[in-house]
Amino acid sequence: MLHFLRKRGLASLISLIGLVVLVFFLTRLTGDPTDLFLPIDASQEMRDQFREINGLNDPLIVQFGYYIGDLVRFDFGESLRQARPAMDVVLEAFPWTLQLALITMTLVTVSAIVVGSLAAFNVGGPFDRFASFVSLIGASAPDFWMAIVGIVVFAVGFGWLPTSGTGTVWHWVLPVAVLFIRPFGLIVQVVRGSMISALSSAYVKTARAKGVKSRPIIFVHALRNAMLPVITVIGDQAAALLNGAVVIETIFGFPGVGKLMIDSIMARDFNVVLAAIMVTALAIFLMNILIDLAYAALDPRIRH
Amino acid sequence: MITKTLALGAALAATGLTPLYAAEGDIRVVLSEELDLMEPCMATRSNIGRVILQNINETLTEYDTRGGQGVIPRLATSWEQMDDATWRFNLRQGVTFSDGSTFDAADVKHSFDRAMSDQLSCETPRYFGGMTIKATVVDENTIDFTTDPAQPILPLLLSLVTIVPEETPMEFTREPIGTGPYELTEWTPGQRIVLTQRDGYWGDAPAVTSATYLFRSDPSVRAAMVATGEADLAPSIADIDATNPDTDFSYLNSETVYIRLDHSVAPMNDVRVRKALNMAIDREAFIGTVMAEGTELATALVPPTTLGWNPDVQVPEYDPEGARALLEEARADGVDVDQQIKLIARTGNFPAVTEVGEALQQMMTDAGFNIDLQFYEVAEHEQFYSKPYPTNVGPYMLMAMHDNDKGDPVFTMFFKYASEGRQSGVSDPKVDDLIARASAATDDERAALWSELIAYLHDDIQADALLFHTVGFTRVGSRLDFTPTIATNSQLQLSQIGFK
C-alpha cells in the first residue's frame, strides 16, 4: 500500500511541475498586463516604470527563473490588482469553493447512489423511468440558466430564498441546488448502469438463490462492485467543482476561487492566477489520491 | 410533526431573509464590479469613484451634474485667476479628516503631488497631460496652482483630484482617509464594503447613515436584489431587466458608441469612402430594437450636456444608394474599395454589442463594402485601440465606446482626434489647431471653438462614424428618494440620496 501511495505521489508531483511550467508560459502568452493596469493614455515612462517594478522587462526565461525561485520559497508575489500577497487573496477565496464543493458532492453522492440503485433494481418500472427522465434533464441543463430561473422563481417569485450573496444558511440553498443538478443527473445514470450489470452477475444470482433479501443484495453485494466506475465520475465532478464553479460563483456573488480566477485572468493579475491554480491543483491531486485509495480499498487487485 | 418542522423552517427562513437594516438610514447598494483598490487617486476609475468619490474623499471643486451650475465649491470656497498661468484657491476652514487631523493647504499640495507622482500609477495625471503644473502653499488656507501652458479650466480639472492627509504614504492605500461625510468601516474582499457616517463632518449630515456595497456581476441578479428588498439601489442594470416603471430610471449615461476610422490607411484615407460609410448606416433602425429606447443618435463624441456641443450638426442621412455611388466614384479614381476591411469590436462592450456589430456589417455590405466582423476581448481590443496601431493586419475600423461626463470636450478631443492623440485616427493641422486653441480658451470663445471643431470633424473630414449616446438604467428601491443623473456612471454621492 505504501509503495502504491509513493508511486501515485511521484506521478502527481511530475504533473504538478508540468502544470507550473505550462501555466507560467500560458499566462504570459495572453499579453502584457501593462495595457490593462495603466490608463490607456499613460506615458511611455509610466509604462516602462510599471514594467520595471513588476519585473516584466526581463527576458521571459529570466522571469521564469525568478518565478521558480520564489515558488520554492512558497512566495507567489503580490496581486497587481489588490496590492497584497497573491496567496492571501487565494486562501481567502478557496475555503468558500471547498465548502461549496464538499456540501454539493456529499448530497450528490448519497442521493445519486440511492436513486440510481433503486432505479436499477426495477429496470423499466415507473421509478426507473422517472429517475432516468429526471437525471437526463439534470445532466443536460445549463447551470447559468438554472441559476437565473432559480432566482426568478424562488427569490423574486415566492420570496423564499435570498437571490445571492452569503451570510445565512439560506444563501447556500440556491447555489448548492444548481450545482447539484448536473452531477446528480450524470451519477444517477452511471450508478444505474453499473448496478444493472452488477445485479445481473452470477454472484448476485447466487445470493438471491440463497434467499438473501433485496436490500442487502443491492447495498452490500452489488453496490461494492458497482462503485468503481461511479467513483471515477464522482472524482471528475468533484474536481470540476474544486476547479471553481465559475458561472455559479459569478451569478450568486459567491466569493470563491472560481470567480477569483476569472477576475484575475481578465485583469492579467498573473500572480493570483498562478497561486489559485497551484492551490486548486494541489487540492485536486490530494483528492485523486483519496479516490485511488478508495479504489484500492474496494478492489484489492488494484493495489498489486 | 411535519407541520411543526415546516413552521420552524418558515420562522428560520424569515429570520434569515429579512433585510438586516440596523437603522432607517442604512442602505445597500449593489454594484457590478468588485473594487480592487480603495485608492483616492484612482477615483476617476468608475468602480472606485462610485464608492469613495465625495463620500470618503472630497475634491476642491465639484462639477454639478444635478443643478447645471457648472463648477461649484467643495473643499475650496472660492478661486480666482491671478494671471494667465496662476490660479488661487481659498480653502474651507474648520474641516477635519476622518483620522481627526485638520485639513489645510499642505494636505492639498501633498494630495496633488502624490496623485501626479511617478512613484504611483495614478489615473489623475492623464487629465493633466501636455502641461506642467505646480502647487504652492501660500498660507494654511490658500494654495496657488501654476500651469504651463495656461489652463482656463483648472477649477474643473481640480474636481478630479481627491484630497488625502499630508501623512498618506507614496504607495497605494487600501484604507482611504478623507474629509467626506463617510468613513470606511468594513471591507471584506469579495463580499462587501461598508461606509459609515462620521462625526465631525464640516457639511450637513446626510440622510443616509451607512451604506453597504455588494457586488454582483449579473445584471438580472442586481435587478432582482432591489425587487426583493435585498438592496436599495442597483446602478447599471440591463435594459431588458428595466421592466418596472415605478423603480427603474433611464438616463443618458455619457457613453458614446462610435467607429474609429484610421485616415492614414487605404481605403479609409479617401474622404468619399468615409462619407459612404456614414451614409451606409441606418442609425434610426437600432433604437428601440437592439439599443434601448431613449438612446440618442450621436453627432459628436461627447454627449449633448457638454460645453460647445453643436446642435446644428445633423446625423448623416441613411442613403445606401448614395453610398454606392460614392464608392463607385472612388473606385473610378483608382481607390481599392473592394478590399476587405475588418470591423473590430469588443465582446461585452455594451449590452447588444454583438447584434449592433452584425447589423452594421450587414448595412455596410449592402452599401458595397467588404466587411469582416471580428470580436475581441478587452485586452486584445486594446491592441487595436491605442497607438502604436498594428500595421500587419490590413485595414480595419474599430467600434468602441467613449465616456465623458465631465462637461468639457478637453477630456476627449486631444486623445481621440489630435495627430499625437493616443487613440486618434486623424492627423489634420486644422483639427490640431482648433484643439490647441479651444483648450486654452475660456467661456464663450471656448464653446465656439469646440462647436467649430465638432462640425469640422463631423461634416468636413468625416473623422469617424458616430453612432449612439447610450442610456443607462438604474433601479431605485421604493424606500429611496433618488434620481440618477449622467454622473451616476462614475460617482454615487450618498449625500444626494434621501428617503421617502
Side-chain angles (χ1 to χ4, degrees):
Chain A
M1 192 61 159
L2 214 60
H3 173 69
F4 168 73
L5 265 184
R6 221 174 15 237
K7 225 168 75 181
R8 293 296 299 159
L10 193 69
S12 301
L13 190 69
I14 292 168
S15 317
L16 204 61
I17 292 169
L19 189 75
V20 164
V21 178
L22 197 69
V23 165
F24 176 85
F25 288 100
L26 278 181
T27 47
R28 259 60 180 180
L29 267 184
T30 64
D32 185 347
T34 320
D35 289 339
L36 282 183
F37 280 94
L38 294 186
I40 32 194
D41 49 352
S43 65
Q44 195 54 47
E45 293 79 62
M46 275 171 87
R47 280 165 198 274
D48 292 344
Q49 197 179 14
F50 180 88
R51 296 171 60 85
E52 185 63 46
I53 292 170
N54 293 292
L56 298 166
N57 269 340
D58 297 325
L60 206 56
I61 197 73
V62 176
Q63 289 185 40
F64 184 66
Y66 282 130
Y67 164 67
I68 294 294
D70 290 343
L71 218 56
V72 171
R73 286 180 280 118
F74 212 65
D75 176 2
F76 287 83
E78 288 243 313
S79 157
L80 289 178
R81 213 159 59 102
Q82 300 196 15
R84 61 198 184 111
M87 198 37 118
D88 288 5
V89 177
V90 174
L91 289 181
E92 265 166 29
F94 189 69
W96 288 101
T97 302
L98 193 64
Q99 284 180 70
L100 201 57
L102 265 178
I103 295 173
T104 309
M105 285 317 292
T106 309
L107 290 175
V108 166
T109 308
V110 172
S111 53
I113 289 174
V114 171
V115 172
S117 306
L118 291 177
F121 198 65
N122 191 359
V123 180
F127 184 79
D128 179 35
R129 269 183 284 166
F130 176 71
S132 298
F133 175 70
V134 170
S135 64
L136 196 68
I137 289 180
S140 35
D143 323 9
F144 69 91
W145 183 78
M146 298 298 294
I148 297 291
V149 169
I151 289 170
V152 168
V153 174
F154 296 104
V156 182
F158 295 127
W160 291 344
L161 294 168
T163 57
S164 55
T166 55
T168 66
V169 66
W170 303 100
H171 285 94
W172 291 77
V173 176
L174 274 177
V176 168
V178 174
L179 284 175
F180 174 90
I181 293 167
R182 196 203 303 265
F184 173 77
L186 273 172
I187 295 169
V188 163
Q189 292 185 357
V190 178
V191 170
R192 179 182 173 274
S194 192
M195 281 297 272
I196 288 172
S197 63
L199 286 171
S200 60
S201 62
Y203 67 88
V204 171
K205 283 181 185 152
T206 313
R208 276 188 212 267
K210 283 182 172 173
V212 181
K213 287 200 173 97
S214 295
R215 212 171 273 183
I217 289 181
I218 301 176
F219 290 109
V220 180
H221 294 268
L223 193 60
R224 184 181 168 119
N225 288 294
M227 276 313 280
L228 287 178
V230 176
I231 283 179
T232 313
V233 184
I234 291 175
D236 284 350
Q237 295 300 309
L241 284 183
L242 272 182
N243 225 332
V246 176
V247 176
I248 295 311
E249 287 185 357
T250 304
I251 290 182
F252 288 105
F254 217 79
V257 80
K259 184 169 182 304
L260 178 71
M261 265 196 234
I262 287 297
D263 292 347
S264 308
I265 289 169
M266 290 296 188
R268 290 186 188 155
D269 198 346
F270 292 160
N271 293 342
V272 174
V273 176
L274 290 168
I277 290 176
M278 291 307 290
V279 169
T280 42
L282 265 175
I284 290 170
F285 283 131
L286 282 177
M287 196 186 64
N288 276 331
I289 288 178
L290 283 178
I291 285 172
D292 286 341
L293 286 176
Y295 244 95
L298 282 174
D299 187 348
R301 284 169 301 177
I302 292 168
R303 272 174 262 166
H304 304 295
Chain B
M1 181 65 199
I2 291 173
T3 327
K4 266 189 184 169
T5 317
L6 281 177
L8 186 67
L12 274 172
T15 350
L17 294 182
T18 312
L20 305 165
Y21 297 120
E24 176 70 9
D26 297 352
I27 66 163
R28 292 179 175 207
V29 181
V30 55
L31 302 177
S32 59
E33 245 185 311
E34 162 83 286
L35 267 69
D36 36 16
L37 289 165
M38 287 278 265
E39 171 52 56
C41 77
M42 299 294 263
T44 49
R45 199 188 263 185
S46 62
N47 63 335
I48 298 176
R50 273 184 181 156
V51 177
I52 71 174
L53 189 59
Q54 314 298 12
N55 295 330
I56 296 178
N57 293 93
E58 296 179 293
T59 50
L60 291 187
T61 61
E62 186 181 350
Y63 182 68
D64 177 26
T65 50
R66 216 163 260 280
Q69 297 177 63
V71 182
I72 55 173
R74 189 92 188 196
L75 284 177
T77 50
S78 61
W79 49 90
E80 57 193 318
Q81 194 162 13
M82 310 292 285
D83 55 53
D84 267 2
T86 311
W87 285 82
R88 173 160 294 177
F89 288 80
N90 301 305
L91 306 180
R92 194 176 292 282
Q93 298 183 31
V95 174
T96 54
F97 287 97
S98 59
D99 65 356
S101 61
T102 311
F103 160 76
D104 60 30
D107 298 311
V108 177
K109 180 170 165 52
H110 177 72
S111 305
F112 185 78
D113 292 345
R114 183 175 179 271
M116 303 298 281
S117 163
D118 56 11
Q119 291 177 47
L120 283 168
S121 306
C122 285
E123 286 260 310
T124 323
R126 63 183 290 192
Y127 298 105
F128 293 80
M131 67 175 102
T132 55
I133 179 162
K134 192 168 162 265
T136 316
V137 174
V138 180
D139 61 42
E140 242 179 35
N141 303 310
T142 319
I143 189 160
D144 283 354
F145 285 92
T146 315
T147 63
D148 177 32
Q151 286 304 315
I153 58 154
L154 193 71
L156 176 64
L157 283 172
L158 288 182
S159 73
L160 306 171
V161 182
T162 46
I163 305 301
V164 293
E166 202 183 352
E167 295 73 29
T168 311
M170 284 299 213
E171 57 195 46
F172 276 153
T173 176
R174 296 176 65 79
E175 289 161 4
I177 304 289
T179 57
Y182 298 89
E183 59 188 328
L184 173 68
T185 45
E186 188 198 329
W187 182 3
T188 313
Q191 295 185 60
R192 77 180 68 81
I193 286 172
V194 183
L195 304 192
T196 310
Q197 202 179 104
R198 71 184 183 93
D199 297 331
Y201 177 58
W202 60 267
D204 296 335
V208 171
T209 48
S210 90
T212 301
Y213 295 87
L214 304 165
F215 308 97
R216 302 285 183 271
S217 43
D218 192 281
S220 51
V221 174
R222 293 198 294 278
M225 286 175 78
V226 179
T228 59
E230 285 172 56
D232 298 293
L233 190 60
S236 71
I237 61 169
D239 58 341
I240 52 164
D241 293 316
T243 49
N244 182 350
D246 295 336
T247 55
D248 302 338
F249 292 83
S250 76
Y251 53 93
L252 217 52
N253 64 3
S254 77
E255 297 274 11
T256 305
V257 179
Y258 76 118
I259 301 172
R260 188 199 57 213
L261 307 177
D262 188 348
H263 293 210
S264 65
V265 176
M268 293 302 174
N269 57 359
D270 191 295
V271 69
R272 289 168 297 192
V273 176
R274 300 199 294 272
K275 191 162 187 199
L277 185 80
N278 267 306
M279 290 158 73
I281 304 168
D282 184 2
R283 291 166 172 80
E284 289 283 356
F286 288 90
I287 305 203
T289 52
V290 289
M291 297 298 288
E293 286 290 358
T295 301
E296 292 188 11
L297 299 186
T299 54
L301 205 42
V302 290
T305 49
T306 314
L307 182 84
W309 185 81
N310 192 333
D312 301 329
V313 175
Q314 297 298 312
V315 174
E317 217 162 288
Y318 172 53
D319 181 6
E321 286 312 310
R324 275 180 185 284
L326 272 174
L327 283 184
E328 281 307 321
E329 203 184 306
R331 178 184 285 120
D333 285 345
V335 179
D336 181 6
V337 295
D338 297 319
Q339 67 176 311
Q340 194 178 58
I341 303 167
K342 289 189 178 73
L343 172 58
I344 289 172
R346 189 182 127 190
T347 39
N349 202 0
F350 54 92
V353 65
T354 314
E355 291 80 358
V356 168
E358 285 165 356
L360 285 171
Q361 180 185 30
Q362 187 61 47
M363 288 171 186
M364 292 172 189
T365 307
D366 288 348
F369 284 90
N370 178 4
I371 300 292
D372 174 26
L373 176 65
Q374 297 192 347
F375 276 92
Y376 289 91
E377 290 293 334
V378 56
E380 272 78 23
H381 185 263
E382 171 60 25
Q383 292 165 13
F384 296 96
Y385 200 4
S386 296
K387 286 179 182 172
Y389 298 140
T391 49
N392 53 353
V393 294
Y396 70 88
M397 2 188 209
L398 180 117
M399 180 152 68
M401 197 150 100
H402 173 64
D403 180 14
N404 183 342
D405 65 353
K406 303 194 170 56
D408 194 286
V410 76
F411 304 105
T412 302
M413 293 304 178
F414 182 83
F415 150 56
K416 294 289 187 183
Y417 292 116
S419 304
E420 300 295 315
R422 251 182 78 76
Q423 293 181 348
S424 165
V426 176
S427 180
D428 183 299
K430 182 167 176 184
V431 172
D432 290 348
D433 175 57
L434 278 170
I435 292 174
R437 280 163 52 212
S439 304
T442 50
D443 306 331
D444 290 349
E445 188 199 354
R446 187 179 183 91
L449 285 165
W450 286 133
S451 282
E452 188 184 342
L453 174 67
I454 285 169
Y456 180 70
L457 287 169
H458 188 272
D459 298 340
D460 295 358
I461 63 168
Q462 307 272 332
D464 42 29
L466 290 158
L467 301 175
F468 319 109
H469 299 303
T470 63
V471 290
F473 294 88
T474 288
R475 180 167 280 187
V476 182
S478 51
R479 296 168 67 218
L480 301 191
D481 177 14
F482 176 70
T483 313
T485 70
I486 198 163
T488 308
N489 219 23
S490 53
Q491 59 168 295
L492 190 60
Q493 283 200 44
L494 297 173
S495 60
Q496 294 176 346
I497 299 173
F499 293 94
K500 282 181 182 159

